[in-house]
Amino acid sequence: MIDFVAPTIDWAAVSPVLVVLAAGVLGVLLEALVPARARRSVQLVLTLGALAGALVAVALLWGRVQEAALSVVGGSYLLTPFGLGVQAVVVVCALLGVLVVADRPGGQDAFAPTAAAVPGSTYEEQARRAGLEQTEVYPLVLFATGGMMLFPATDDLVMLFIALEVLSLPLYVLCATARRRRLLSQEAAAKYFLLGSFASALLIFGVALLYGFAGSVRLGAIAEALAGQGASPLAGMDVLALAGVLLVVAGLLFKVGAAPFHAWTPDVYTGAPTPVTGFMAACTKAAAVGALVRFLFTLAEGMDAGTRHGVEVVLWTVALLTMVVGTVVGVVQTDIKRVLAYSSIAHAGFVLVALVGFSETGAAAVLFYLLAYGLATVGAFAVVTVVRERLTTPVPDAEHGAASAASDTLLGEATHLAQWAGVGRKAPWLTAAFALFLLSMAGIPLTAGFIAKFGAFSAAVDAGAWPLAVAGVVASAVAVFFYVRVIVLMVLTPPADELVPDGGAPDGGAPEAAGTDAGPDAGAAAHAVGGGAPTGTLTAAPAATRTVVTVVTTPGPAALVVALCAAGVLLLGLLPASVLDLAGQAAKFVP
Amino acid sequence: MPITNYLVLAGILFAIGATTVMLRRNAIVVFMGVELMLNATNLAFVTFARIHGDLTGQVLAFFVMVVAAAEVVVGLAIIVTIFRTRRSASVDDVNLLKG
């Protein structure tokens, strides 16, 4: 009989992922054990602690991984400096994202009391009155983060697939949990789920083809088979390999949100609870781009000139298309979350520009870009969470009863652009921070975005892809228009609600709610966001009731996040040297 | 019978699944299309495992099954929630977000 040989596992190398996933499991247990009142604070401490711990683990591993890539469980988990760099970006953005998730402007968080209740039902109303909270969002965020950290740290296509699912499934659920506009939220979840599972089916079929071609699911072995080495009986069938590579790339590009796989992005970003949108926009993109870099850079080593050229042509096309779609369609959007969604599509295009050429400078530029983009995005969505609609009733009337004895009720987010007019006068500091994020996304000098874009485009020029870099610069110039439009609106235009006395909106930036207290949840159902449709059936409120746009300026975690992100964006813009050095170290031996 | 026939069958099933996802309107049917794609993948994995004479492909098929099960749990939950609200599982009715 053969003795059992225990595998040697380098626990230190897996520690960042392990801490996050273990905390997620623990969080699910705590849901069952901790009394409801204490649950939120316990979960919050656990989540923040785990993410901080993961960040520390990443920092401790940084020096070690520079010497040689750490291979665990026979290479299934392969931690390269680049993978660790992406993990660092993901953890930093997730930490900020969780703080926004924990924010409770007006005493309510952004999540439904019970996401399973039918919107507008008595059960939901009871849950809301009882003050229930869906604290499961914290473990879900942790699981998603764990998947994202695993995503760029594996050379094994099966692990890639598993990581993809581990990061996607919690996000599908999180998308469906918004407190307000619940139908939109559920719809976003359904769209994300159907398209996401379609994309992962494409990816796994690509993996099957690559496995058939090379007889292995390790990227290194596949690269060798592509180079004509290896003993696979199907090694000559390049069609198989090309189809496999394209399918896997399609699956990854879907997660990146690049055209033509971007269709889900605007809808899902709009429908999902805003804190989740911020988290998802920053972290998913970082993880998916990281995985794409690992996949393409490793396989490019084995490709002959013809195949490599073919893959580069695909990348060029996708990058161009993504930049064009993101900027051109973004210009005509009227909803702030959709504007940010199209901006995120455009950014996917800019990141892909840096990838072309498969060079070390490209990989370093990608890392810096992901960090700069992530900070600005989490910050911008945090600002969106505090710009709210408020229902004010000058004289509390009998019709409302005791429920609205307080003369005003805080409603959902004011996401229509017209409602953002004059926000600058209500909250100057917040507006300044938001303007900073937008300018960074536009790539204005002295912000992180400028350095990031400069790095990305110069990497493309180094790789001989100067037309792509020129296209990127032009697209950035067009994008400046729609970022500056928002800033001008916030600072220079007088607020619309000072002029309009009634709940009926002047411009389709309709208040989402009827006058009743249950309005925010039930009324939102029938209201199309940014559709320009006046909510005729819903404005049954007394004429005295009006909806105004307010900015919740009470200090909370979201305000902290805005401050931190603004500081980060400025710091990366003014003193980028140290972070650029780190990014350079991380890209030392790509992938 | 040559073993490539199985691969052709896997390809056909995958194509049928992908077509279903893109053409059908009912969320449940769309989802069945995705499942068909995943199972076509399983067939391809197992066939390739036979060609290469190693077990990796068979193990992978199990992984895909587990993931497909997890996807069913999450996906059906979302679809059922929508159905309970709107009494319809058509993806055409789900169009508050125009995009």
Side-chain angles (χ1 to χ4, degrees):
Chain A
M1 181 153 174
I2 308 163
D3 284 331
F4 173 71
V5 183
T8 45
I9 293 174
D10 184 354
W11 294 107
V14 252
S15 57
V17 184
L18 218 55
V19 167
V20 171
L21 289 179
V25 174
L26 196 62
V28 173
L29 265 181
L30 289 179
E31 273 307 309
L33 299 178
V34 177
R37 259 176 299 110
R39 225 175 267 163
R40 177 175 174 274
S41 28
V42 172
Q43 292 282 17
L44 190 56
V45 168
L46 178 69
T47 308
L48 291 176
L51 289 173
L55 197 58
V56 171
V58 166
L60 290 179
L61 278 171
W62 193 271
R64 227 182 111 199
V65 86
Q66 297 293 324
E67 289 148 25
L70 303 174
S71 161
V72 187
V73 214
S76 281
Y77 180 88
L78 189 73
L79 196 63
T80 57
F82 183 78
L84 196 65
V86 176
Q87 286 189 348
V89 175
V90 167
V91 172
V92 168
C93 293
L95 205 54
L96 294 168
V98 165
L99 282 175
V100 186
V101 167
D103 190 46
R104 293 201 284 188
Q108 287 181 327
D109 62 8
F111 299 95
T114 48
V118 174
S121 64
T122 22
Y123 178 53
E124 188 199 33
E125 180 59 19
Q126 282 169 354
R128 199 180 62 77
R129 281 181 200 282
L132 294 190
E133 277 185 326
Q134 200 91 59
T135 41
E136 286 90 349
V137 292
Y138 298 102
L140 284 173
V141 167
L142 280 178
F143 284 129
T145 312
M148 288 165 189
M149 293 168 72
L150 204 54
F151 210 29
T154 175
D155 249 3
D156 189 322
L157 289 178
V158 188
M159 282 291 269
L160 188 82
F161 179 61
I162 304 288
L164 175 73
E165 292 298 327
V166 171
L167 86 85
S168 301
L169 291 177
L171 285 180
Y172 301 148
V173 178
L174 282 173
C175 282
T177 55
R179 177 181 283 272
R180 299 186 174 79
R181 296 178 180 167
R182 288 196 53 200
L183 288 204
L184 292 189
S185 168
Q186 293 177 353
E187 177 178 331
K191 278 187 177 164
Y192 194 17
F193 169 73
L194 289 175
L195 290 173
S197 55
F198 180 60
S200 52
L202 291 181
L203 183 133
I204 192 67
F205 198 68
V207 173
L209 295 183
L210 286 175
Y211 168 65
F213 172 76
S216 167
V217 283
R218 292 288 154 77
L219 286 179
I222 295 170
E224 276 173 19
L226 275 169
Q229 299 148 5
S232 164
L234 299 175
M237 295 183 68
D238 280 345
V239 188
L240 215 57
L242 199 60
V245 170
L246 288 182
L247 282 172
V248 173
V249 168
L252 292 175
L253 283 179
F254 175 88
K255 280 290 153 199
V256 175
F261 311 102
H262 68 287
W264 59 278
T265 317
D267 286 357
V268 174
Y269 281 19
T270 313
T274 309
V276 171
T277 310
F279 166 71
M280 170 164 91
C283 298
T284 313
K285 191 152 294 186
V289 170
L292 192 66
V293 167
R294 280 291 284 275
F295 181 77
L296 283 178
F297 280 42
T298 318
L299 290 197
E301 285 170 12
M303 289 177 189
D304 56 35
T307 325
R308 192 175 159 135
H309 181 69
V311 174
E312 275 177 6
V313 168
V314 171
L315 266 187
W316 273 61
T317 320
V318 170
L320 261 179
L321 198 64
T322 311
M323 289 189 292
V324 170
V325 167
T327 45
V328 173
V329 187
V331 168
V332 298
Q333 296 305 313
T334 52
D335 184 283
I336 188 72
K337 283 169 91 176
R338 281 184 101 83
V339 168
L340 290 175
Y342 277 101
S343 127
S344 111
I345 295 175
H347 283 289
F350 298 138
V351 172
L352 290 180
V353 169
L355 279 186
V356 176
F358 310 129
S359 64
E360 237 177 64
T361 41
V366 164
L367 263 186
F368 190 86
Y369 201 108
L370 290 176
L371 184 62
Y373 162 81
L375 287 179
T377 304
V378 174
F381 278 107
V383 174
V384 174
T385 60
V386 293
V387 178
R388 307 287 285 263
E389 287 172 340
R390 187 191 291 276
L391 197 68
T392 56
T393 316
V395 190
D397 48 355
E399 198 179 325
H400 282 71
S404 67
S407 66
D408 46 28
T409 323
L410 200 60
L411 302 180
E413 286 140 12
T415 56
H416 196 277
L417 268 187
Q419 292 174 295
W420 280 59
V423 166
R425 300 180 191 183
K426 295 171 188 164
W429 282 107
L430 204 72
T431 307
F434 194 68
L436 181 65
F437 299 142
L438 291 184
L439 291 177
S440 171
M441 288 184 191
I444 305 294
L446 301 184
T447 59
F450 174 74
I451 313 279
K453 274 190 178 153
F454 181 78
F457 296 156
S458 55
V461 171
D462 286 349
W466 62 266
L468 204 55
V470 171
V473 172
V474 172
S476 305
V478 176
V480 168
F481 168 74
F482 74 80
Y483 295 123
V484 171
R485 188 176 62 132
V486 176
I487 298 174
V488 166
L489 187 76
M490 289 170 77
V491 178
L492 298 180
T493 318
D497 51 63
E498 282 176 5
L499 310 170
V500 184
D502 184 57
D507 46 27
E512 61 177 271
T516 61
D517 204 19
D521 297 322
H527 171 54
V529 169
T535 52
T537 54
L538 295 172
T539 45
T545 308
R546 19 177 255 150
T547 311
V548 294
V549 177
T550 74
V551 182
V552 182
T553 42
T554 43
L560 177 69
V561 169
V562 171
L564 285 176
C565 288
V569 165
L570 268 183
L571 210 63
L572 287 185
L574 297 173
L575 306 161
S578 55
V579 181
L580 279 175
D581 277 353
L582 285 178
Q585 282 176 17
K588 208 163 36 176
F589 29 80
V590 182
Chain B
M1 193 169 69
I3 198 160
T4 43
N5 284 1
Y6 291 99
L7 292 179
V8 174
L9 178 63
I12 291 172
L13 286 177
F14 187 80
I16 292 175
T19 319
T20 311
V21 172
M22 285 185 277
L23 296 183
R24 295 301 295 267
R25 300 274 66 118
N26 188 304
I28 303 274
V29 179
V30 170
F31 189 41
M32 281 162 68
V34 172
E35 292 294 309
L36 193 57
M37 290 165 83
L38 290 177
N39 283 314
T41 310
N42 277 347
L43 183 59
F45 268 132
V46 175
T47 313
F48 282 131
R50 172 81 179 167
I51 293 176
H52 291 303
D54 75 347
L55 284 176
T56 316
Q58 300 190 15
V59 174
L60 287 186
F62 279 107
F63 273 106
V64 175
M65 280 181 214
V66 172
V67 165
E71 260 184 8
V72 169
V73 171
V74 170
L76 280 187
I78 291 171
I79 294 171
V80 166
T81 325
I82 289 198
F83 180 76
R84 284 205 298 163
T85 318
R86 309 188 187 197
R87 297 282 144 213
S88 157
S90 166
V91 285
D92 276 347
D93 292 345
V94 185
N95 57 2
L96 295 181
L97 294 159
K98 305 165 302 164

